[in-house]
């Protein structure tokens, strides 16, 4: 079904937040990725002292973990490389690398978005990464509990149990 639409110059996908238009170049790039995607929306948990880290990956493809991101800003690979998400997901799922599929979006009309740029950002595990994730997960839980004591958050608002 996806291959049928490759010959159109523009594809429009309707979603909860409006329509998204993909040009022929975007479709070709995504078509090279999609056949390799094997398992969508996979959840993993990692028990930590006093809490559990939970992640839901967009796609798993063998040892590769992929996550699709959209932004209106110019794509900055450094922004994604600095994130803790990929480190957490590699720790949770045990893959050998993590790929962000990043689409820069621009609103063409009200509620109609076009992909202006597509880029992949690939990240690899490193020694001590799991300990880094565990440390920052613990720091987040401590911060959250302090804010909750101050009445800043309702129970479960940010996914902390």
């Amino acid at each position: 079904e996806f291959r049928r639409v490759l010959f159109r110059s523009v594809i429009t996908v309707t979603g909860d937040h409006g329509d998204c238009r993909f040009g022929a170049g975007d479709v070709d790039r995504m078509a090279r990725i999609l056949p390799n995607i094997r398992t969508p929306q996979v959840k993993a948990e990692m028990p930590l002292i006093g809490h559990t880290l939970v992640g839901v990956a967009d796609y798993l493809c063998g040892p590769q973990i992929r996550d699709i991101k959209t932004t209106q800003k110019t794509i900055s690979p450094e922004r994604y490389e600095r994130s803790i998400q990929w480190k957490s997901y590699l720790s949770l799922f045990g893959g050998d690398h993590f790929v962000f599929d990043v689409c820069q979006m621009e609103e063409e009309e009200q509620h109609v978005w076009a992909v202006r740029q597509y880029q992949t950002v690939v990240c690899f595990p490193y020694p001590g990464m799991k300990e880094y994730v565990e440390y920052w997960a613990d720091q987040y839980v401590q911060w959250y509990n302090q804010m909750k004591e101050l009445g800043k958050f309702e129970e479960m608002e940010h996914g902390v149990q």
Side-chain angles (χ1 to χ4, degrees), residues 2-3 5-6 11 22 26-40 59-61 64 66 68 101 118:
F2 186 75
R3 296 189 192 288
V5 297
L6 290 179
I11 295 174
F22 295 88
D26 300 315
V27 172
D28 289 342
R29 283 190 291 266
M30 293 307 288
R32 287 192 292 271
I33 293 167
L34 290 174
N36 295 320
I37 293 172
R38 299 289 182 249
T39 310
Y59 296 98
L60 297 182
C61 181
Q64 181 184 97
R66 295 189 88 104
I68 300 169
D101 292 298
Y118 167 78

Side-chain angles (χ1 to χ4, degrees), residues 20-134:
C20 184
R21 288 187 183 158
F22 295 88
D26 300 315
V27 172
D28 289 342
R29 283 190 291 266
M30 293 307 288
R32 287 192 292 271
I33 293 167
L34 290 174
N36 295 320
I37 293 172
R38 299 289 182 249
T39 310
Q41 291 285 308
V42 179
K43 180 179 177 180
E45 297 182 2
M46 181 169 67
L48 303 171
I49 298 172
H51 51 276
T52 301
L53 181 64
V54 178
V56 179
D58 285 346
Y59 296 98
L60 297 182
C61 181
Q64 181 184 97
I65 302 162
R66 295 189 88 104
D67 197 68
I68 300 169
K69 296 291 185 193
T70 59
T71 181
Q72 289 180 288
K73 300 175 183 176
T74 301
I75 296 173
S76 167
E78 297 79 20
R79 175 178 169 225
Y80 297 96
E81 290 166 352
R82 285 191 308 265
S83 80
I84 196 165
Q85 180 186 9
W86 70 268
K87 298 168 186 137
S88 299
Y89 280 27
L90 284 173
S91 297
L92 284 162
F93 294 99
D96 66 12
H97 66 286
F98 183 98
V99 179
F100 286 106
D101 292 298
V102 187
C103 296
Q104 180 186 10
M105 307 295 287
E106 183 177 350
E107 193 169 26
E108 287 187 333
E109 307 167 23
Q110 187 175 7
H111 304 296
V112 178
W113 295 83
V115 177
R116 291 292 172 229
Q117 183 184 7
Y118 167 78
Q119 185 174 343
T120 58
V121 179
V122 182
C123 304
F124 296 93
Y126 57 87
M129 184 182 71
K130 185 175 181 183
E131 293 77 14
Y132 176 87
V133 169
E134 290 172 352

